[in-house]
Amino acid sequence: MKKYIFFLISIWLIANQAYSQHDSQFEVLVHKDIRYVADNQVQNDSLQRLSLVMPQGITSCPLLIWIGGGAWSYGDRNMELDFARRVARSGIAVASIGHRLSPATWRDSSLNTGIQHPMHILDVASSVKWLYDHAGEYGYDPDNFFIGGYSSGGHLSALISMDSTYLAGHQLSNQIFKGVIPISGTYDIPDYYRAMLESGRPELAKLHVMAVFGEDSARFPMASPIHFMDGLKTPMLLMSDNNMYNYTRLFEEKIRETDFREVEVVYAYNLNHGGLWRNLSFEEHSLYRNIIVDFIETQSKSGT
């Protein structure tokens, strides 16, 4: 039996380790609401935009492409700017990506229109293409791209890094990324659908999961990162809050069945779903944000 070399890091294990605090070093400049699709391709002009946060006084810095959460249905790229600014102060450019959204009548009856998979990830792919083409204009390094996201953004970041289809449509390889950082996502959509059916609100299986991924459950696997384990080639920092533990554990167990070992797994047992997002976004000294920055810095230096 092969020996598994895996990195399971929990809060009690790393609390006393010497992770640098990454105190603010750089001033940042925010370029807000940049359209990343051509005029003739715009479907929702307010959503198909990104905001780019650039550290000042540094050239050719890494870029973290960041996809916020919101159940694929009510995400807001501007809500991620606190996180983006704090990461950018460490010398890493951050692009906060908006994408078209699905209906979410289960949350708000007025959210009754929208799109379904794969439109969300097609938007993300378009944003990656735009960012690649405009690297020289803004000063980040096109050979040092990272992608990550929170909740539904974690799912999208994992999927685009493992299923080459979406970037191939833009003549790009998913090997464009030097690291992927999925946080508190769900990675097996059939399992997610079953979890909703068995929850205290079984109507969410239809009103939420099918509203996002369609009513044909036979197509759910193609929306699941866990279906593309052969595409697991990019170093990964997999992180989860306590509420999303079961979804992350399922993904981790599937990774363990492969030969891929460039993975670090961080479980924030002390924080719930909203708590980890607030910690990453607002804490002056966030252990978990520091881990993200350290991962990017380490992977940026690899192969150089």
Side-chain angles (χ1 to χ4, degrees), residues 6-15 17 19 150 181-185 187 236-242 244-245 248-249 252 263-271 276 279-280 286-292 295:
F6 229 76
F7 300 90
L8 175 58
I9 308 175
S10 58
I11 180 63
W12 56 268
L13 181 63
I14 62 177
Q17 289 186 355
Y19 280 97
Y150 199 88
I181 309 168
I183 303 178
S184 293
Y187 309 100
M236 179 179 290
L237 171 61
L238 180 62
M239 189 179 294
S240 178
D241 62 83
N242 198 38
M244 300 297 288
Y245 169 75
T248 304
R249 182 187 63 180
E252 179 193 353
V263 181
E264 299 176 41
V265 183
V266 179
Y267 288 117
Y269 295 112
N270 60 324
L271 295 171
L276 180 55
N279 180 282
L280 291 169
S286 165
L287 172 65
Y288 301 105
R289 193 174 61 245
N290 289 342
I291 294 171
I292 293 170
F295 175 79

Side-chain angles (χ1 to χ4, degrees), residues 26 52-64 88 90-94 135 138-146 296 300:
F26 297 94
L52 180 62
V53 185
M54 290 296 304
Q56 301 299 285
I58 184 172
T59 58
S60 198
C61 56
L63 174 70
L64 172 60
S90 298
I92 299 165
V94 183
Y138 288 93
Y140 50 82
D141 184 356
D143 295 320
N144 239 341
F145 274 21
F146 294 79
I296 293 172
S300 294

Side-chain angles (χ1 to χ4, degrees), residues 55-186:
Q56 301 299 285
I58 184 172
T59 58
S60 198
C61 56
L63 174 70
L64 172 60
I65 301 168
W66 183 253
I67 313 160
W72 305 273
S73 303
Y74 52 91
D76 182 346
R77 65 186 177 276
N78 294 317
M79 288 182 64
E80 306 301 317
L81 285 179
D82 292 285
F83 169 79
R85 287 188 182 95
R86 291 182 185 277
V87 173
R89 287 171 188 152
S90 298
I92 299 165
V94 183
S96 180
I97 305 303
H99 59 74
R100 286 171 290 171
L101 301 171
S102 294
T105 55
W106 55 273
R107 176 182 172 91
D108 183 335
S109 60
S110 68
L111 302 176
N112 55 13
T113 60
I115 52 90
Q116 290 182 341
H117 177 81
M119 298 305 178
H120 323 83
I121 199 165
L122 290 175
D123 282 354
V124 174
S126 294
S127 74
V128 174
K129 170 64 172 174
W130 188 94
L131 288 161
Y132 185 79
D133 289 346
H134 291 82
E137 179 181 346
Y138 288 93
Y140 50 82
D141 184 356
D143 295 320
N144 239 341
F145 274 21
F146 294 79
I147 192 162
Y150 199 88
S151 196
S152 56
H155 160 267
L156 292 170
S157 66
L159 186 60
I160 201 169
S161 75
M162 296 172 68
D163 181 357
S164 61
T165 303
Y166 302 106
L167 288 177
H170 295 281
Q171 293 75 52
L172 292 174
S173 166
N174 57 346
Q175 296 302 295
I176 193 175
F177 305 121
K178 295 196 74 171
V180 57
I181 309 168
I183 303 178
S184 293
T186 183

Side-chain angles (χ1 to χ4, degrees), residues 3-7 255-256 258-263:
K3 182 179 179 181
Y4 290 110
I5 304 173
F6 229 76
F7 300 90
I255 295 172
R256 284 180 177 273
T258 74
D259 293 327
F260 189 74
R261 293 294 171 265
E262 294 185 73
V263 181

